Amino acid sequence: MAGVTSRPVRVLVVDDDALVRAGLTMMLDGAPGIAVVGEASDGDQVPAALDAHAPDVVLMDVRMPRVDGITATRRLRARPRPPEVIVLTTFDTDENILHALRAGASGFLLKDTPPARIAEAVRQVAAGEPILSPRITRRLMDRVAVQAGAYAQARATLATLSPRERDVVVAIGRGHGNAEIGAELDMTLATVKSHVSHILTKLGLDNRTQIALLAHDAGLA
């Protein structure tokens, strides 16, 4: 009986940096069992690229100028029979990790991951096995270990805010920018900025990332 030859894993590379795209394409095209079938330079190009190339796996950057990788992943995963997504980024903040996984990504790797490991991750994800870099896995395990205590503390902290301020915290936790928050909550941009400033002052926080992590700890995003 003749053997069956499996086709290569079809990969779409999405990154706004042309050098990064070229490097990933060159690396993956030389890896056994993988073929790069297309590239996109922004998240808004992903739907057309999916239709044109039918990839099995998408390597998705996070920060892109028009549509970010988290939003593009969420939209992609809402399609019928979507490809798997590996978020590949230089930014390993808890906010990015949690948003990527909640958007439906099957993997989260840092761009300093060795090339052979990225290729192996593509093959694993295509086979239905989620993948996280060891550094990310450790961070998530640490986060789970303190989650119970953090939940109660975060809820108590947020209780000091007004209902409107809590709405802004939830929106920040979901990764929304000021313009999106204004549209969602029917506020002017100046009002949103004022709320954010008051929240930082009231809670003794330094930046929006800390607000987002607080929202996650409280189970609100």
Side-chain angles (χ1 to χ4, degrees):
M1 184 175 179
V4 177
T5 302
S6 60
R7 69 175 179 83
V9 177
R10 298 170 59 84
V11 176
L12 172 69
V13 177
V14 184
D15 198 296
D16 64 328
D17 188 321
L19 289 178
V20 171
R21 291 198 310 275
L24 288 171
T25 296
M26 183 180 301
M27 174 195 64
L28 291 173
D29 259 345
I34 297 175
V36 176
V37 295
E39 298 179 9
S41 61
D42 202 286
D44 63 353
Q45 299 174 5
V46 169
L50 296 180
D51 293 337
H53 305 295
D56 303 305
V57 175
V58 178
L59 278 183
M60 184 82 75
D61 188 22
V62 171
R63 296 191 177 183
M64 293 180 284
R66 293 187 297 276
V67 174
D68 66 82
I70 306 302
T71 300
T73 296
R74 187 179 300 111
R75 293 173 180 173
L76 176 160
R77 295 297 297 171
R79 293 166 61 106
R81 300 173 63 86
E84 303 297 335
V85 177
I86 297 175
V87 171
L88 190 63
T89 181
T90 54
F91 304 100
D92 63 341
T93 66
D94 288 353
E95 181 181 7
N96 281 338
I97 298 165
L98 292 172
H99 283 321
L101 298 179
R102 286 178 175 174
S106 298
F108 192 107
L109 295 176
L110 301 177
K111 287 183 179 177
D112 61 2
T113 301
R117 187 71 189 96
I118 295 176
E120 179 58 27
V122 167
R123 288 187 283 265
Q124 282 186 241
V125 166
E129 301 175 22
I131 184 71
L132 294 173
S133 71
R135 193 192 315 176
I136 299 304
T137 301
R138 284 195 298 271
R139 290 182 64 159
L140 291 180
M141 290 175 66
D142 291 342
R143 189 175 181 82
V144 169
V146 300
Q147 190 169 9
Y151 175 83
Q153 182 176 351
R155 286 278 177 165
T157 299
L158 292 178
T160 64
L161 301 178
S162 70
R164 207 58 170 157
E165 288 169 340
R166 285 196 295 273
D167 289 341
V168 173
V169 169
V170 171
I172 291 174
R174 291 173 178 166
H176 296 172
N178 287 346
E180 292 175 295
I181 294 172
E184 179 182 341
L185 300 180
D186 194 24
M187 297 179 181
T188 66
L189 191 58
T191 300
V192 174
K193 290 179 178 179
S194 178
H195 277 309
V196 172
S197 179
H198 290 161
I199 290 165
L200 291 172
T201 300
K202 278 187 178 182
L203 302 186
L205 302 177
D206 296 322
N207 53 52
R208 293 172 69 95
T209 298
Q210 292 177 343
I211 295 177
L213 292 177
L214 185 66
H216 289 303
D217 287 339
L220 298 178

